[in-house]
Amino acid sequence: MKLPHIPPFKTKVVEPVYFRTKAERAQKIKEVNYNLFNLHSDWVIIDLMTDSGTGAMSEQQWAEIMLGDESYAGSESYFKLKRSVKEIMGFDFLAPTHQGRAAENILFSAVVKDGDVVPGNAHFDTTKGHIEFRKAEAIDCTIPEAFDTSVYHPFKGNIDLEKLEAVIKEYGRERIPFINITVTCNTVGGQPVALANIKATCQIGQKYGIPIYMDIARYAENAYFIKIREAAYKDWTIAEIVKEMFKDVRVVWMSSKKDGLVNIGGFIALNDEALYEKLGQFTIIYEGFLTYGGMSGRAMGALAVGLKEGIEFDYLNDRVKQVQYLAQKLKDYGIPIQEPVGGHALYIDAKRMLPHIPQAQYPAQLLGVEAYIEGGIRGVEIGTLLADRDPLTGKDRLPKMELLRLAIPRRVYSRNHMDYVAATMANVMARRKEITAGFRITKQAAILRHFTVELETI
Ligand code: F0G
């Protein structure tokens, strides 16, 4: 008999899960104005709101917590992290930050100015926010296949090279401080970028004298997909692929809360000493001294180890297979999901699951609320609430897709938990005709409304 796949780890510490009845959950979600962000976590059974900072650390990482050197300057934990980054990524200079968006703040303070444009594959919200905050523009150059859930493409995070060159020609290289590649591309569903595409983008950068920067929150998952899907690299190790991905990249920044396997942290890494010195001024005013930049010594130590564990093939294989396992179960129950599934999450298509709910009534949010009531599962809406209003008309922007994202925390849930999630969604699917009306907004903030929005049922 072929032995079944099992995770490459076992449990040493456990965390309780609290169970409530469906009626209690229905009451609670009403009390919090149908906003899943307002739920106290002990009211959630399986929390799939994000894979960011929600993972479990290993015994080696917990050992580093005890070894953390909390010196203000010159902490040994910083040097441990610096050595890991050098060994894995090949960069000499390291600026730690408290999380990914803090790295964006420091980096873009140094290089982005009013009137600039930053082309790239679908920039993450905070990346876009930090670019726009500086009165610059983020231009999406992702391949069109990324936005069609019905077509298969192994690397939907790829940059559309023709579009990229057209953008460079239109705006001129002087206005483009860097080209941005996000691996994997979260905004289009955690979709990977092929190594061939990274190399071709770097060549375009070289041709026009524009450096390439990379948002590497989920770089290890991207490297895994390269190994599995890009024939030329099937015999390469993840470590070799990572080095190749970064070979011609000038600067990387990371939200370490993802593939760094830690609960908080981030950094910028580069080989350009002059730029590193420039970043230092911003690190000191925004984050802290150069050798901790917003992280505790123990958190840097845990990250130094987490980065190494995050590129182990067995770990990555288990992680991606878990996401694919849940996706297959949902498909077997007839639940429409975006395909192929990416590395860290899967996205349920609410327009196809609840076709009778008008987009103006927030169908993806409705699906999220129903999943919560049904089984205590917390996902996140990627739809009209998130898309927010047109700043000129004040009316809702209706995005092409209404999605419920279920993001899977790293090393936290078992296959049993995935079966529970699938059964919950199957039950919602079975009674979807009884779900007849969505929500209207009763209160919303001026920007980023989805975090605090208040809703009522129609
Ligand atoms: N870049 C990417 C690709 C991200 O996915 C995130 C965060 C960030 C940057 C910002 O990093 O949160 O550490 O400040 N993504 C989280 C998510 C919030 O749920 O997808 P951060």
Side-chain angles (χ1 to χ4, degrees):
M1 190 193 296
K2 187 170 179 283
L3 297 179
H5 170 86
I6 58 166
F9 50 81
K10 54 189 176 172
T11 310
K12 192 187 301 254
V13 176
V14 296
E15 197 180 334
V17 171
Y18 302 95
F19 297 99
R20 324 264 177 172
T21 65
K22 217 167 138 176
E24 284 173 319
R25 283 193 295 270
Q27 177 58 32
K28 179 54 82 184
I29 193 69
K30 186 171 179 218
E31 271 168 39
V32 301
N33 305 301
Y34 300 101
N35 184 335
L36 294 157
F37 287 97
N38 287 340
L39 286 170
H40 199 301
S41 64
D42 65 1
W43 275 85
V44 178
I45 294 178
I46 298 188
D47 205 343
L48 307 183
M49 178 163 255
T50 180
D51 65 318
S52 181
T54 53
M57 294 205 295
S58 67
E59 57 183 4
Q60 287 83 2
Q61 288 181 288
W62 281 106
E64 278 303 325
I65 294 280
M66 290 310 297
L67 294 173
D69 174 358
E70 305 304 339
S71 303
Y72 189 93
S75 156
E76 171 56 17
S77 306
Y78 168 76
F79 292 107
K80 280 182 185 163
L81 178 57
K82 200 168 178 259
R83 287 194 291 273
S84 274
V85 168
K86 171 72 183 168
E87 184 189 316
I88 297 167
M89 305 178 180
F91 295 106
D92 284 323
F93 298 100
L94 173 74
T97 61
H98 80 273
Q99 63 182 80
R101 66 199 73 183
E104 290 165 353
N105 187 28
I106 286 168
L107 186 56
F108 300 173
S109 291
V111 302
V112 177
K113 58 182 191 317
D114 193 337
D116 280 353
V117 295
V118 179
N121 55 344
H123 312 63
F124 183 67
D125 315 2
T126 59
T127 315
K128 200 165 177 235
H130 273 292
I131 291 170
E132 291 174 354
F133 181 71
R134 292 171 173 82
K135 301 197 165 56
E137 198 185 337
I139 300 184
D140 187 355
C141 297
T142 320
I143 55 167
E145 289 89 333
F147 302 97
D148 186 347
T149 54
S150 64
V151 299
Y152 177 85
H153 189 294
F155 292 100
K156 280 188 169 179
N158 277 0
I159 298 230
D160 180 335
L161 302 167
E162 277 172 28
K163 181 164 182 194
L164 175 65
E165 274 210 87
V167 168
I168 297 171
K169 285 185 184 139
E170 186 184 338
Y171 292 91
R173 66 159 304 280
E174 298 71 31
R175 286 178 67 188
I176 305 179
F178 62 93
I179 297 165
N180 181 191
I181 310 178
T182 303
V183 291
T184 58
C185 189
N186 187 7
T187 303
V188 297
Q191 299 291 331
V193 183
L195 200 35
N197 189 261
I198 292 173
K199 283 176 186 281
T201 305
C202 290
Q203 271 170 12
I204 292 177
Q206 271 155 15
K207 180 170 157 193
Y208 293 94
I210 305 169
I212 308 297
Y213 288 16
M214 224 184 231
D215 174 348
I216 62 163
R218 300 181 181 85
Y219 77 103
E221 289 167 12
N222 200 95
Y224 173 86
F225 283 117
I226 288 172
K227 182 173 172 65
I228 299 298
R229 294 186 186 163
E230 203 169 346
Y233 302 100
K234 74 175 181 1
D235 297 325
W236 290 42
T237 64
I238 299 293
E240 288 165 344
I241 293 172
V242 166
K243 285 256 170 58
E244 196 70 8
M245 281 167 66
F246 296 164
K247 207 170 69 183
D248 295 314
V249 170
R250 181 80 59 87
V251 180
V252 299
W253 83 88
M254 180 176 199
S255 166
S256 311
K257 301 168 76 175
K258 285 82 171 176
D259 283 355
L261 300 178
V262 289
N263 304 115
I264 193 75
F267 62 80
I268 304 162
L270 66 172
N271 283 327
D272 176 340
E273 190 168 8
L275 179 55
Y276 170 71
E277 280 174 9
K278 204 169 165 195
L279 299 179
Q281 300 163 19
F282 295 104
T283 303
I284 288 171
I285 50 171
Y286 290 132
E287 292 288 287
F289 185 63
L290 304 174
T291 58
Y292 75 88
M295 289 178 82
S296 61
R298 62 183 80 98
M300 290 189 285
L303 176 56
V305 174
L307 287 173
K308 291 183 187 165
E309 292 177 357
I311 57 166
E312 283 169 11
F313 180 81
D314 285 346
Y315 153 73
L316 285 166
N317 192 40
D318 178 65
R319 162 134 185 91
V320 175
K321 289 234 163 84
Q322 185 179 40
V323 178
Q324 290 170 347
Y325 174 81
L326 176 58
Q328 188 56 49
K329 282 226 130 179
L330 292 181
K331 275 167 54 181
D332 293 346
Y333 291 135
I335 293 157
I337 59 168
Q338 197 186 26
E339 286 187 273
V341 281
H344 69 292
L346 45 92
Y347 295 70
I348 302 178
D349 189 334
K351 274 191 179 171
R352 274 156 67 200
M353 190 151 161
L354 301 173
H356 51 288
I357 305 291
Q359 196 169 2
Q361 294 182 15
Y362 312 109
Q365 180 68 11
L366 182 59
L367 190 57
V369 166
E370 290 298 334
Y372 173 69
I373 294 172
E374 183 65 37
I377 303 214
R378 173 157 73 171
V380 75
E381 187 247 27
I382 313 267
T384 307
L385 285 178
L386 183 75
D388 222 309
R389 289 140 294 175
D390 184 308
L392 294 177
T393 64
K395 295 223 170 72
D396 276 1
R397 281 192 275 234
L398 298 180
K400 269 184 258 168
M401 300 197 269
E402 280 288 325
L403 304 170
L404 176 68
R405 182 180 87 166
L406 303 180
I408 315 297
R410 294 168 180 79
R411 307 193 290 203
V412 172
Y413 293 116
S414 66
R415 192 167 268 210
N416 290 352
H417 291 107
M418 296 300 112
D419 290 340
Y420 178 96
V421 174
T424 299
M425 295 316 300
N427 286 355
V428 175
M429 184 74 181
R431 61 174 176 77
R432 65 186 167 144
K433 297 233 166 66
E434 297 151 37
I435 303 168
T436 50
F439 301 115
R440 75 168 73 87
I441 291 176
T442 55
K443 197 173 160 200
Q444 56 186 327
I447 53 162
L448 296 174
R449 66 175 177 185
H450 57 288
F451 290 117
T452 52
V453 71
E454 295 184 4
L455 303 163
E456 66 182 13
T457 46
I458 289 176

